Amino acid sequence: MGRLRDFFRTGTTRLEPVTVESLLESARRIGTKLEQSGDVAFRVETDAGASVLLVDRLQIDLVLRNLIANAFEAMRMCVGDKRVTVSAHEVEGNRILFRIMDTGPGVSPSARKLLFEPFSTTKPTGMGLGLAISRAIAEAHGGSLMLAHTEHGEFDLVLPGVATDE
């Protein structure tokens, strides 16, 4: 908790080399715990190979946990096909795209406008800080966090990869 508190006070991050696969393993653990409700299929997939990121692992794990938990929560009101998928792909510019998708109803146009604003929430018990914090962490790492314009829920977390000498 101290590292997160330092981040919010000073923007401090403790960067270390972390593989995409190890971040996806964290995502698997998070999703497996949430999947125990039984009616949501959870899947992790990648084609990012052995890509390495220079990130504060604790902070990026927090972002993934928030996005995955939000996706599972979106499934609560759904009937039929309930899926949450986390994927990682290399994209242009030596960047890694982590995509968290669900088959839920997506985000309403009115909610989209304030989605990343602190204290803005559509959840009855939410504080409205998760996505604001997640975006701040992504940006502190030189990346981005965006909501994709799709009919279902889809968030794209893009982080810079470590340059490899080839």
Side-chain angles (χ1 to χ4, degrees):
M1 261 326 196
R3 280 174 47 200
L4 289 175
R5 192 172 29 255
D6 289 345
F7 171 72
F8 293 112
R9 264 195 226 132
T10 64
T12 304
T13 57
R14 187 181 305 163
L15 302 178
E16 61 182 300
V18 178
T19 64
V20 169
E21 187 54 45
S22 68
L23 289 171
L24 290 176
E25 186 54 41
S26 291
R28 277 185 197 93
R29 284 192 298 276
I30 294 163
T32 300
K33 282 183 184 177
L34 294 169
E35 187 180 31
Q36 291 176 355
S37 66
D39 64 343
V40 177
F42 178 71
R43 187 172 78 219
V44 174
E45 53 192 41
T46 184
D47 64 11
S51 299
V52 176
L53 305 168
L54 195 59
V55 297
D56 186 312
R57 177 167 192 128
L58 177 72
Q59 292 177 9
I60 299 305
D61 279 346
L62 176 74
V63 173
L64 290 171
R65 183 176 302 116
N66 181 56
L67 295 172
I68 294 167
N70 285 352
F72 270 87
E73 190 164 325
M75 298 291 94
R76 279 193 191 155
M77 305 308 279
C78 290
V79 293
D81 183 26
K82 296 182 180 186
R83 282 179 286 127
V84 173
T85 304
V86 176
S87 62
H89 310 281
E90 289 186 46
V91 294
E92 196 173 320
N94 192 35
R95 300 171 81 71
I96 305 297
L97 164 65
F98 291 90
R99 180 165 282 156
I100 296 81
M101 300 178 294
D102 62 64
T103 55
V107 179
S108 72
S110 61
R112 281 178 184 272
K113 294 175 187 167
L114 299 173
L115 197 61
F116 293 100
E117 294 297 317
F119 307 109
S120 173
T121 184
T122 58
K123 299 177 188 176
T125 59
M127 290 180 53
L129 291 173
L131 290 174
I133 290 169
S134 293
R135 179 175 265 181
I137 289 171
E139 290 173 351
H141 283 79
S144 62
L145 176 62
M146 297 171 290
L147 173 66
H149 291 279
T150 63
E151 66 178 286
H152 299 293
E154 181 180 309
F155 283 86
D156 292 341
L157 170 64
V158 179
L159 297 170
V162 174
T164 56
D165 297 328
E166 291 187 27

